[in-house]
Amino acid sequence: MEKIINDHDWSGLSESFLQAKPFNHVVIDNFFVESFARNIFGDMPGYEENNDAKYDNPIEKKRTIQNWTKFPKNIYKAATCLVNQEFTSHLRQLTQQPELMADFGLHGGGIHMHKAGDYLNTHLDYDIHPKLDMKRKLNIIIYLNPDWQESWGGNLGLWSHDEETGQAKDLIKSVTPFFNRALLFDTSQNSWHG
């Protein structure tokens, strides 16, 4: 398979990941090879078409495609690469979790699309996989809108945990969804994000 993920210093990123606050995370710019990232964007289905699920609740308003058979060619290639042994090995190095494995079913993953006015409010992801009955440990979000403008807002906030209330407390970091930027974070550390 062609090279689609840029070379990254996974051991150097590991130190940043393990020391990050409010929970383990790292932001990686230029995640995919630039031309491939643009191909992925070019393959992105419209907001109204081929959606597996529509979410419209107090936590989120968005569309998703989680069914691999509906992925266009370049998105399918990207998803395949993200669950393959080589990339999983990099993630084990990054997280220092030798037992880490990929979720080939993409439960909760896949393509997530928001249009103007949609939202993803601060929340915790589920921590036990509903099909595998295993701990869900790591999440990766890769932003693929090449025309993103900071004035639109929409940054992803990473929040501290309030031990007394069991809720999100303070915004610690704000991640701008620039094109070809990846955010990897540990989902098991009271990882409030939104």
Side-chain angles (χ1 to χ4, degrees), residues 79-132:
T80 300
C81 187
L82 293 173
V83 298
N84 77 20
Q85 185 62 35
E86 181 182 355
F87 186 67
T88 303
S89 177
H90 292 316
L91 296 181
R92 289 185 188 119
Q93 183 179 11
L94 174 78
T95 62
Q96 296 185 8
Q97 298 285 321
E99 70 286 355
L100 195 70
M101 60 181 268
D103 176 11
F104 292 92
L106 299 180
H107 196 279
I111 302 167
H112 290 231
M113 296 174 281
H114 294 85
K115 66 177 182 178
D118 285 0
Y119 52 85
L120 179 67
N121 288 330
T122 305
H123 68 286
L124 294 174
D125 289 344
Y126 60 88
D127 69 336
I128 301 297
H129 193 290
K131 305 253 183 199
L132 299 175

Side-chain angles (χ1 to χ4, degrees), residues 48-66:
E48 300 294 335
E49 59 188 81
N50 294 322
N51 297 293
D52 288 340
K54 300 174 186 179
Y55 294 87
D56 191 355
N57 59 61
I59 293 176
E60 59 198 344
K61 184 173 183 183
K62 64 183 179 182
R63 302 278 177 103
T64 66
I65 303 173
Q66 297 175 11

Side-chain angles (χ1 to χ4, degrees), residues 58 164 175:
E164 289 183 24
V175 180

Side-chain angles (χ1 to χ4, degrees), residues 1 10 22 25 38 49 67 71 74 84 91 107 124 141 153 155-156 166 194:
M1 182 181 283
W10 295 102
H25 72 273
R38 294 199 176 276
E49 59 188 81
N67 182 338
F71 290 177
N74 290 301
N84 77 20
L91 296 181
H107 196 279
L124 294 174
I141 299 170
N155 287 7
L156 184 70

Side-chain angles (χ1 to χ4, degrees), residues 162-190:
D162 188 324
E163 292 292 338
E164 289 183 24
T165 66
Q167 298 295 313
K169 186 175 181 183
D170 297 314
L171 176 63
I172 304 299
K173 186 168 187 173
S174 180
V175 180
T176 304
F178 288 131
F179 178 68
N180 205 12
R181 170 175 277 180
L183 167 66
L184 290 96
F185 64 95
D186 188 315
T187 59
S188 65
Q189 300 178 325
N190 290 316

Side-chain angles (χ1 to χ4, degrees), residues 16 19 35 39 63 70 89 110 113 131 145 159:
S16 298
Q19 294 178 3
S35 59
N39 289 342
R63 302 278 177 103
K70 294 183 180 180
S89 177
M113 296 174 281
K131 305 253 183 199
N145 184 341
W159 300 74

